[in-house]
Amino acid sequence: MADGFDKIQKLPDPVPGCPNFRRVPGFKVYCCGQPTIAGFENVLNKVCGDIYPKDGPIIWFNLRQEPNVYVNGDPICARPPNKIGEYAELGAITRDIQKANEEEFLKVCEKRKTENGGKLKAVDINKKELEIEVKELKSLSQVIEGLKEKFPGLVHWRVPVCNSAAPLAADFDNICKTLVGTAINTPVIINDQVGLSRATTGCVVACLFKEFQISASFEGLVETVPGINASLLKTDRYVMNPEKDTLFRGEFEVVKELISKLKDGAGAKNNADKIIDLNGTPKTGGTGIKQLRENIAESKLSYEIMDDAAQVFLKSKIMDNIHKYFYLIAFTAYMRQAAELARSAVSDEDKAKNSLTGGKTAIPGDQLKVNKTFAAFMEEHAVLRGMVEAGKGKLQWERDIPAAALANLESLATTDFKANLGKIIHDIYQTAHTMFADMPQGDHKKRAKYRFASKTLMRILPNNLKGEVEALIEKKSITLDLYEILGQCTWGQGIKA
């Protein structure tokens, strides 16, 4: 599948050949989609600018599960037929698996090119067939090796993660291991296909590590680091806008439970929320496309207007995103603990060697060590795994009908259902009008009210009619639709499943 597509660029000020490139405010952390070969060089030149040396260390994380080759300088990835144009959830893909897949993908492309007279067949995200005359074919690894001629300090590391759920503990650790020993101002670039969820998640992790370096060195170090805005980094003092809905504030039941179990859990959540906001959209202080916390709330609002099949998919995605948010808070707590340990582990000799005017000590970021893995932290807090699995679905998936309204409808249905049917439908819609008053006018609201009416009518049907309708729905003769249920309960009597 061709990685690039029409309207892939969502942000202003594009970098040629690299979709949705941006910098996280206050950090030398950058996010983007999969670049072309020219795009790689354009990004690296932009990141270095006129100050950072082109032979200096630059860390580039690729968070994609799918392998890439480059055809005539443009990226093409290997995907199963059912994942064309979809989120690439490919299962338990490790770095070694992805590297082996890339090598095999290159061989397959070479073979098909040879068999097809120098042309390669592919598809775009809309499954439109393409036939490309191949002038140059390279693996991603070969592209990176070529870039090292101009940027010898470039380190490219694969950390394949899924789109919606949290990275594995080992994935968090692989990012940390790669960043240990780097300076605070070492550029970190993170990509997925478009520069959306996976890359944004990786950027949150990288920013939390950068913050660990600053916090572990000492709070005054920010004054000596070019490009670091101290006010942006006081993240444990961050206060969420109290006017926001509780879901937009990330106040899920399982998150509240997590906060109660962690040392200074509220501080860890504040810390995580600030970094998530900086990696989010402009309305929360970021420069990006995806707001990892608020996207959960937005998806939950969309859930109410979806049909049953779409709700199944979206519910799974919402729970996966809560799982990710939960782990980002846990990882933040881990990084805060690591900073405390690093500060306390400084010897008197190092303190004397790295003292600054005013008596403060600045241990250079590239000398800091993380003495415990996140995997070990999660083992110490093993209860958290079961907590998130049991709690990520604890949301109110349907709006509660007021008890008085439900009692009225049940009374009408049990007294004389057919005689009262007109009144029942009127009262159902009157109740829906009140319940969905917070939603803006439009098709979404109409659909939400219609779905509510369908489900409520089904709920109050007399037992003899309910049995008929349920059997027909199970046989797929009708669907859970208001008019189809009404039809079966009136003129459709006698139609059997």
Side-chain angles (χ1 to χ4, degrees):
M1 185 189 84
D3 277 338
F5 56 89
D6 188 36
K7 297 182 180 178
I8 189 173
Q9 183 67 33
K10 310 293 184 186
L11 299 174
D13 305 319
V15 172
C18 185
N20 300 311
F21 176 83
R22 70 270 191 185
R23 177 178 174 175
V24 181
F27 295 89
K28 294 199 75 172
V29 175
Y30 306 84
C31 190
C32 63
Q34 188 73 41
T36 63
I37 292 178
F40 266 116
E41 191 165 338
N42 291 337
V43 163
L44 292 168
N45 281 324
K46 187 173 181 66
V47 165
C48 291
D50 298 326
I51 299 174
Y52 195 80
K54 292 186 177 181
D55 60 352
I58 302 171
I59 309 298
W60 193 308
F61 291 108
N62 182 330
L63 268 59
R64 302 184 67 176
Q65 291 185 316
E66 60 274 33
N68 270 108
V69 297
Y70 278 77
V71 180
N72 303 337
D74 294 325
I76 289 180
C77 69
R79 289 195 180 198
N82 67 331
K83 295 296 182 181
I84 301 298
E86 305 288 340
Y87 291 120
E89 305 282 10
L90 304 182
I93 302 294
T94 64
R95 174 187 177 276
D96 291 341
I97 291 172
Q98 201 219 35
K99 188 75 164 59
N101 286 346
E102 181 189 294
E103 293 170 358
E104 183 61 26
F105 185 35
L106 181 64
K107 291 177 184 177
V108 169
C109 290
E110 289 278 12
K111 183 173 182 290
R112 291 185 180 179
K113 179 196 73 171
T114 302
E115 293 173 348
N116 196 38
K119 295 180 179 180
L120 194 62
K121 292 183 178 181
V123 294
D124 65 13
I125 64 163
N126 298 312
K127 303 182 182 179
K128 178 184 176 182
E129 293 188 358
L130 310 170
E131 189 169 59
I132 307 165
E133 185 176 350
V134 181
K135 299 175 182 178
E136 179 187 64
L137 179 60
K138 292 183 176 182
S139 68
L140 175 58
S141 296
Q142 291 168 340
V143 171
I144 297 300
E145 288 306 309
L147 289 166
K148 289 181 180 179
E149 294 177 8
K150 291 185 179 179
F151 303 91
L154 176 63
V155 174
H156 184 268
W157 198 256
R158 305 163 197 266
V159 186
V161 301
C162 62
N163 184 76
S164 296
L168 302 175
D171 299 327
F172 285 96
D173 285 330
N174 284 335
I175 292 174
C176 289
K177 287 175 187 175
T178 307
L179 294 177
V180 166
T182 62
I184 293 172
N185 68 337
T186 298
V188 179
I189 308 166
I190 301 174
N191 83 274
D192 56 20
Q193 182 196 349
V194 180
L196 290 176
S197 293
R198 292 179 286 181
T200 302
T201 301
C203 284
V204 170
V205 175
C207 288
L208 287 167
F209 185 90
K210 292 279 189 183
E211 193 177 59
F212 150 76
Q213 289 180 308
I214 293 169
S215 178
S217 296
F218 87 117
E219 70 280 7
L221 180 60
V222 293
E223 299 164 13
T224 71
V225 181
I228 300 295
N229 185 337
S231 65
L232 293 171
L233 300 178
K234 296 176 181 178
T235 49
D236 58 346
R237 304 176 197 174
Y238 182 59
V239 178
M240 188 79 68
N241 182 352
E243 295 182 2
K244 283 187 177 182
D245 181 84
T246 54
L247 294 185
F248 282 85
R249 295 201 301 265
E251 294 177 2
F252 310 104
E253 290 304 316
V254 71
V255 169
K256 292 177 184 177
E257 192 176 356
L258 170 66
I259 289 170
S260 70
K261 296 293 183 183
L262 293 173
K263 178 184 177 182
D264 190 18
K269 182 181 182 299
N270 289 343
N271 199 154
D273 281 334
K274 180 64 174 181
I275 297 299
I276 288 169
D277 285 354
L278 290 174
N279 279 276
T281 60
K283 72 176 184 179
T284 62
T287 55
I289 308 168
K290 184 72 68 173
Q291 221 290 353
L292 296 179
R293 182 190 64 253
E294 295 194 357
N295 180 245
I296 302 171
E298 290 164 356
S299 296
K300 177 62 173 63
L301 293 177
S302 298
Y303 177 88
E304 294 181 293
I305 62 172
M306 299 289 186
D307 60 33
D308 288 346
Q311 280 191 341
V312 171
F313 169 78
L314 191 57
K315 184 175 183 178
S316 174
K317 183 172 178 261
I318 290 168
M319 291 193 296
D320 279 346
N321 283 326
I322 291 173
H323 182 267
K324 179 193 294 184
Y325 181 52
F326 181 101
Y327 263 75
L328 287 173
I329 295 171
F331 179 74
T332 304
Y334 159 73
M335 283 276 84
R336 288 159 65 87
Q337 183 189 86
E340 290 180 13
L341 293 173
R343 283 195 297 268
S344 63
V346 177
S347 66
D348 291 339
E349 181 182 352
D350 284 339
K351 286 180 180 179
K353 186 169 59 176
N354 295 288
S355 62
L356 296 176
T357 303
K360 294 181 178 179
T361 303
I363 305 301
D366 57 2
Q367 295 179 23
L368 293 168
K369 304 297 180 186
V370 179
N371 297 314
K372 178 168 60 180
T373 65
F374 182 53
F377 177 88
M378 289 303 295
E379 283 298 324
E380 292 174 1
H381 300 79
V383 67
L384 300 184
R385 294 197 188 98
M387 182 191 298
V388 69
E389 289 301 326
K392 63 185 180 182
K394 289 182 180 178
L395 287 178
Q396 185 176 353
W397 296 103
E398 302 286 350
R399 300 194 185 203
D400 288 333
I401 182 170
L406 179 59
N408 168 60
L409 291 168
E410 288 176 335
S411 174
L412 290 170
T414 54
T415 302
D416 189 334
F417 177 75
K418 290 189 177 180
N420 292 330
L421 191 53
K423 172 69 170 167
I424 288 171
I425 298 303
H426 172 273
D427 286 5
I428 286 176
Y429 265 98
Q430 191 64 41
T431 302
H433 179 74
T434 303
M435 286 178 59
F436 294 92
D438 61 315
M439 291 183 70
Q441 294 294 335
D443 289 342
H444 285 182
K445 185 168 186 172
K446 289 178 183 177
R447 289 177 64 188
K449 290 165 70 174
Y450 187 81
R451 282 183 55 77
F452 168 78
S454 302
K455 291 187 173 184
T456 303
L457 179 61
M458 186 70 193
R459 179 175 180 176
I460 64 171
L461 283 178
N463 289 334
N464 61 321
L465 291 175
K466 183 177 288 188
E468 284 183 19
V469 173
E470 286 177 342
L472 288 166
I473 291 173
E474 187 176 350
K475 294 288 186 181
K476 298 187 176 0
S477 299
I478 65 172
T479 62
L480 183 58
D481 176 90
L482 178 65
Y483 288 122
E484 291 191 51
I485 297 169
L486 283 173
Q488 177 60 22
C489 294
T490 52
W491 53 263
Q493 283 292 287
I495 299 175
K496 301 299 180 184

